[in-house]
Structures are given as structure tokens and as C-alpha cells.
Amino acid sequence: MFGIETLGSTLQSVVLVGLVLVEALALYVGYGTLEEAVGERFVTAFTGE
Amino acid sequence: MEVLGVGIALLTMFVGFGLLIGILFGFFGMGGSFLVTPALIVMGYPTRVAVGSGLAFVFGTSIIGALRHRSLGQVDYTLAALMTVSVTAGIEVGKRGVFALESLGLADTVVSIAYIGLLGAVGAFILVDSRRKSNEESSDTADDQVGLFSRIRVPPMIDLTGGPSISVWVIFAVGLVVGVLAGFLGVGGGFLLMPAMMYGFGVPAAVAVGTDILQITISGGVGSLLYAQSGGVDLSIVVPLLAGSALGARIGAAATKLVDEDAITGYFAVMLLLGAVAVGVRQAGNYLGIEMLQVVSLVIIVGAALFVSGAVVTLSLRELRAVRTSTPQSNTD
């Protein structure tokens, strides 16, 4: 998957963990942007105001 | 239809499960591999893949949790660094203890009993303590923040976030003991570190959770790297789980700012006690050869996670509503 099977085992493991790190950072930024955009409206809807 | 080689139904389930775990992890600073690994084993994944993917997932989730707690000012970097060094050294000692027991053929029994005993004892202690504090309506909050080891004044001393001043030697010693236990039990140590920082050093619960998560990021990264070398990390599991937990960790971390500290520790205790019951049921299943008890154990863990994360979200929304009613223009996190 992701074309990393051809790499050596050590490099492959570093790339795998690196991909998890990149995904985590991308999600942190992505959800952060989403929170800024619609968070207030979402909370207002849930708190019933 | 498949995405990442996984069916849509399974993918959706992973994202939902991730969301649930993320809320707990962001709120308590523990619960990642504790929930994911047994679930993956019951789903039929090989143990190596379940443990390795669980570790990689915990690594990813803890990065998000640590960043979120950092933005809320709930991470003590000095404490995290000192704890990482001492816990890592302790884990090595603990592992050697397990190998010694293995050579005697006693490892599985002794580790299981120790795990159940420790989860149960720590859970019961925290539950009683949080009940006592919530019953003492006029309790002095300054007194509550004095840690058990604050009186040991062996230099050098360092000031931790939230006020307490603790000897570096004491931090090393506590980290070493936690590490030995974590290595012995084969766990990350989150459920031991959080109460150790709170009760031992007098660090506020939210800071203990934030610092604990940063420490888990480091150990989770190293652990997943080691498992990835032997093909133990499956991205088709980690990617969807992380997509859900990234959102959950934000919600859980934000909830620590809203929910009362005694409620945090109270729910933490309930999670530990139900964890002890679940491990006990699983071990009974292994001992008696009843596979159904493995499923029962998983149902207890997932049920507890659902109940506690639901309670965290409900309490947070209630607090948010109360805050907004009293200060309608305030900008809450």
C-alpha cells in the first residue's frame, strides 16, 4: 500500500511511521480549520441556544 | 466498494471506534492500546498486527492530543522529558523481570494478577478520593494540590506547571517505578503516570493528562517503529482509526477545560475498574478455555468506553450551556 513495499524494511518502517505522523498533523490542521469555521454553530446547536 | 483495501462498513466502524477512543484519550491521557489491541485481536487480526497497529494509532492520536493540550497550556515539557527518560529505563528493568518469570513458566499468571490488582487498586483509590473531595464542599483547593512527594526537598528542585515544586530525584524515582510496572505489565503506563503526577507531584489533573500524552507520543513512536520493522503496522487499520480519533482527541482535550476536576478523576477511576473486570474476564476465558468470555471482555471494554465518553460529552455540553448562560458573550474553547 502507498507504494512503500519496494523499500528496505528499516526505511519502510520509518516511512510508515512518518505517514502516521503526517496524517496526524494534517488531521490536526484540518479539524482545526473545520472547528474555526463551523465549531461555534455546532456548539450553539448542541447547547440549544 | 473498498478504500485502502477495506470495505466501507468496516472503514466506518473504524472511524467511529476511533472517535470514541479519541474522546477518552484526549480527556484521560490513556485508553488507546488498552481498547484497540484487544478489539483487533477479537476481530481476527494477528497479535503482532494488533499490537503494532494499536501502537501506531496511539502514536498518531497522542500527537494530536499533545498539540491540543499544548494550545490549552496543559503540558509541562520538563516533567515530560524527565519522565520519558526514567520510564524508558524502568520499562527495560520490567521487561527483564517478565523474561525471568517466563523462564519459570509463571509470566502469564503473575502478570495478569498484577495487572488486575493494579488497575483495581489504583481505580478504587482514585474513586474514593474523588468522592471524598466532591463531598467536602468547603475543601481548600490549595491543599488539594500538595503532592505526596512535595515534602522531599532534595536539590535540584524544579517548579512544575500548576505550582508544585518537586525534586528531580523524586521525579526520576517515580518514573523508574512506573516504568518497571509498565514494562512488567506490557502497557504504555498512561494509567499509572496520570495518577502518579497528580497525587505524587500535586500537578493539576488537566496538566497531568497533557504531560502524560506527550510522554506517550514519544514511547508510542518508538514502539510503532519497532513493530513496523517486523510488518506489524497495518495502515488500512491505522488511517481510518486516526481519522476518527483526531476529532475525538480535540473534543476530549477541550472537555478537560470544561468538566470539573473531580469528575475527570471519578470517570478515570470507573474506566480503570471496568478495565480490571474486563481483563479478569478475559483471563478467566483463557484459563477455562471459553472463547465467549473474550467477546464478553471486549463488550465490557467497549461498553465502558461508550458510557464514559458519552458522559464526558454530556457533562461538557452542560457546563458549556451554564457558562454561556452566565456570560452570553464569552468565547469558550
Side-chain angles (χ1 to χ4, degrees):
Chain A
M1 198 185 295
F2 299 98
I4 58 173
E5 296 82 355
T6 52
L7 302 171
S9 70
T10 305
L11 186 58
Q12 193 176 326
S13 60
V14 172
V15 173
L16 260 177
V17 177
L19 280 172
V20 175
L21 176 68
V22 169
E23 189 200 356
L25 293 174
L27 287 168
Y28 180 74
V29 174
Y31 283 135
T33 311
L34 195 69
E35 189 183 320
E36 293 263 318
V38 297
E40 190 62 28
R41 252 180 292 169
F42 193 73
V43 169
T44 304
F46 266 93
T47 50
E49 292 169 37
Chain B
M1 186 185 165
E2 289 195 343
V3 180
L4 299 170
V6 180
I8 289 292
L10 187 59
L11 205 72
T12 311
M13 198 199 81
F14 276 149
V15 174
F17 193 42
L19 178 73
L20 193 74
I21 296 167
I23 293 173
L24 296 174
F25 196 80
F27 193 73
F28 296 125
M30 63 152 270
S33 51
F34 172 64
L35 291 163
V36 172
T37 306
L40 292 175
I41 290 172
V42 170
M43 285 170 73
Y45 287 97
T47 305
R48 184 170 48 88
V49 174
V51 175
S53 302
L55 273 170
F57 162 72
V58 166
F59 169 60
T61 308
S62 60
I63 291 169
I64 294 155
L67 286 169
R68 191 74 187 118
H69 279 280
R70 177 182 160 271
S71 69
L72 297 171
Q74 295 170 343
V75 178
D76 190 307
Y77 296 97
T78 313
L79 181 58
L82 290 170
M83 289 301 257
T84 301
V85 173
S86 51
V87 168
T88 307
I91 284 175
E92 197 51 45
V93 178
K95 272 198 296 194
R96 283 168 196 251
V98 174
F99 293 156
L101 282 171
E102 260 179 357
S103 64
L104 298 170
L106 294 169
D108 197 35
T109 310
V110 174
V111 168
S112 297
I113 292 170
Y115 197 33
I116 295 165
L118 208 59
L119 273 174
V122 175
F125 171 75
I126 296 172
L127 189 65
V128 169
D129 187 66
S130 71
R131 287 267 173 144
R132 181 185 59 79
K133 280 182 185 170
S134 52
N135 287 338
E136 291 172 7
E137 285 185 358
S138 59
S139 70
D140 183 355
T141 50
D143 279 352
D144 287 343
Q145 293 203 355
V146 175
L148 204 61
F149 306 120
S150 305
R151 291 178 191 88
I152 303 171
R153 317 294 294 176
V154 183
M157 304 289 291
I158 57 163
D159 293 326
L160 303 177
T161 308
S165 176
I166 297 287
S167 166
V168 169
W169 299 110
V170 169
I171 295 172
F172 266 116
V174 171
L176 203 63
V177 172
V178 169
V180 170
L181 289 170
F184 187 71
L185 300 173
V187 294
F191 79 91
L192 296 168
L193 273 177
M194 196 257 206
M197 284 189 262
M198 268 180 64
Y199 295 102
F201 307 153
V203 170
V207 177
V209 173
T211 308
D212 177 29
I213 289 180
L214 181 62
Q215 196 275 328
I216 291 169
T217 304
I218 300 161
S219 54
V222 174
S224 49
L225 197 66
L226 293 174
Y227 271 89
Q229 283 177 335
S230 57
V233 176
D234 186 342
L235 283 182
S236 68
I237 299 170
V238 181
V239 169
L241 276 174
L242 199 52
S245 71
L247 183 61
R250 292 187 81 89
I251 297 170
T256 58
K257 277 275 185 189
L258 294 166
V259 180
D260 175 60
E261 181 158 320
D262 293 337
I264 295 180
T265 50
Y267 283 119
F268 183 76
V270 170
M271 278 292 294
L272 292 185
L273 289 171
L274 287 170
V277 173
V279 174
V281 169
R282 194 172 65 197
Q283 285 305 321
N286 286 342
Y287 185 72
L288 300 169
I290 305 171
E291 273 191 35
M292 189 63 197
L293 288 180
Q294 300 279 341
V295 180
V296 172
S297 161
L298 185 68
V299 168
I300 294 171
I301 291 177
V302 175
L306 255 173
F307 169 72
V308 177
S309 59
V312 167
V313 172
T314 309
L315 269 177
S316 302
L317 288 174
R318 194 181 298 163
E319 286 297 320
L320 204 56
R321 200 173 291 141
V323 168
R324 288 186 168 213
T325 308
S326 57
T327 53
Q329 298 303 315
S330 68
N331 181 20
T332 51
D333 197 273

